[in-house]
Amino acid sequence: MDKKVVSTNRKAFHDYLIFDRYDAGVVLTGTEIKSVRKGMFNLKDSFAKIEDNEVFLYNMHISPYEQGNRFNHEPERVRKLLLKKQEISKILGKIKKENYTIVPLELYLSHGFAKIEIGLAKGKKNYDKREAIAKKSQERDIARNTKR
């Protein structure tokens, strides 16, 4: 598959336990896709909601394009995500049943189109975060010692 990852939301992996992943298209304007190709965006605090059987992405900041003049876009506008009806109903059922949150995990370009990988997630508790940090540092120490 022709997939070029532009950005990964590392904060999502730190703050949430990810259960399911879905790929969705993103509806962007001309200046937005140009800014995305340059890597001028931020997924950090973004999240998705389902409203009227459509999925929308909130708080994704895409910086204005330098040569965009008066046709430039609003940096933090709400963007529609493109998913199949079956996927949306499946996600909606899991959200209602198990109280999940929809979090964007990574943005990538596929055949010239911007796609986003979203995940169904639950928030981690502070002790879970501390465990993950401790485990990561132990693995780093082991890798460092085995190099020697």
Side-chain angles (χ1 to χ4, degrees), residues 48-66:
K49 277 187 185 177
I50 298 178
E51 298 169 355
D52 298 328
N53 289 328
E54 293 181 325
V55 184
F56 294 96
L57 186 65
Y58 292 87
N59 289 349
M60 179 178 158
H61 181 87
I62 298 178
S63 299
Y65 187 60
E66 290 113 23

Side-chain angles (χ1 to χ4, degrees), residues 5-125:
V5 176
V6 182
S7 177
T8 304
N9 188 359
R10 294 194 321 237
K11 187 177 182 207
F13 292 102
H14 181 264
D15 291 342
Y16 297 98
L17 294 169
I18 310 299
F19 293 102
D20 285 340
R21 294 171 179 231
Y22 297 92
D23 290 326
V26 186
V27 178
L28 298 175
T29 62
T31 55
E32 285 177 326
I33 190 67
K34 290 179 181 185
S35 290
V36 166
R37 285 190 180 121
K38 280 188 154 189
M40 297 169 45
F41 65 95
N42 188 357
L43 289 173
K44 197 174 189 179
D45 296 321
S46 56
F47 62 95
K49 277 187 185 177
I50 298 178
E51 298 169 355
D52 298 328
N53 289 328
E54 293 181 325
V55 184
F56 294 96
L57 186 65
Y58 292 87
N59 289 349
M60 179 178 158
H61 181 87
I62 298 178
S63 299
Y65 187 60
E66 290 113 23
Q67 287 85 32
N69 62 35
R70 68 174 188 242
F71 299 110
N72 237 328
H73 60 275
E74 185 73 29
E76 288 199 4
R77 75 176 183 88
V78 178
R79 292 166 180 91
K80 185 177 178 180
L81 298 182
L82 304 173
L83 286 164
K84 294 182 178 177
K85 285 183 182 179
Q86 295 91 355
E87 289 177 324
I88 293 173
S89 62
K90 191 175 180 182
I91 292 170
L92 192 58
K94 288 184 179 183
I95 287 174
K96 287 182 179 176
K97 185 178 178 187
E98 293 156 27
N99 206 14
Y100 287 141
T101 305
I102 306 173
V103 180
L105 303 175
E106 73 181 16
L107 189 96
Y108 61 93
L109 297 173
S110 176
H111 302 291
F113 295 103
K115 306 262 184 188
I116 196 159
E117 185 178 45
I118 57 174
L120 291 178
K122 273 191 178 177
K124 282 185 184 177
K125 306 284 186 226

